[in-house]
Amino acid sequence: MPVNKSHDEFYTLDMSKGWEVPAGYPAGIQQKILSGALDEVNNRGTRTRLLRFQPGVYTTAPFSHDYWEEVYLMEGDLTVGNDADGNGGESFPPHTYAVRPPHAPHGPFKSQKGCILLEIHYFDPV
């Protein structure tokens, strides 16, 4: 199966628009798809996105999914492992990275001051 991304050379992203709340996320977390698409029903595709947390927003339960995920914290702070009320967890600064295989539980997440993550998602085989 070919990679489902177009050829895009360097261009300036418009960070003021194109954001949407992903299904199942609270309103203060938004994604901006940069390239590709993920077909979670048929376990195909690859996607690169930015994920933005507004200050103080958190998720309440761990995530698990059928695809690989690479995450790079570009700016801001991200706490991993908070409880359902947003308390606790381990905080990480910018320029930290994670890679997860399918079905690896991760999260919940929160950000005190807000953050932007670069995420790459893909099914195996790519």
Side-chain angles (χ1 to χ4, degrees), residues 66-98:
D66 296 336
Y67 49 86
W68 283 87
E69 177 176 54
E70 297 184 54
V71 181
Y72 176 72
L73 178 56
M74 296 173 52
E75 60 183 58
D77 65 275
L78 184 70
T79 298
V80 179
N82 53 277
D83 66 19
D85 296 318
N87 299 312
E90 182 178 358
S91 183
F92 293 92
H95 312 296
T96 53
Y97 170 81

Side-chain angles (χ1 to χ4, degrees), residues 4-108:
N4 64 334
K5 293 185 176 184
S6 61
H7 177 169
D8 289 324
E9 292 294 338
F10 282 102
Y11 64 95
T12 301
L13 295 176
D14 183 347
M15 298 297 282
S16 68
K17 57 185 169 181
W19 296 91
E20 62 186 7
V21 177
Y25 283 72
I29 300 175
Q30 301 168 316
Q31 69 179 2
K32 180 179 180 72
I33 305 298
L34 300 179
S35 185
L38 211 61
D39 179 351
E40 294 185 55
V41 173
N42 295 302
N43 291 347
R44 287 189 276 191
T46 178
R47 161 180 73 199
T48 302
R49 74 178 182 180
L50 297 176
L51 192 68
R52 175 173 70 181
F53 281 61
Q54 297 299 321
V57 174
Y58 60 91
T59 62
T60 58
F63 291 85
S64 177
H65 38 70
D66 296 336
Y67 49 86
W68 283 87
E69 177 176 54
E70 297 184 54
V71 181
Y72 176 72
L73 178 56
M74 296 173 52
E75 60 183 58
D77 65 275
L78 184 70
T79 298
V80 179
N82 53 277
D83 66 19
D85 296 318
N87 299 312
E90 182 178 358
S91 183
F92 293 92
H95 312 296
T96 53
Y97 170 81
V99 60
R100 301 181 185 105
H103 310 290
H106 52 286

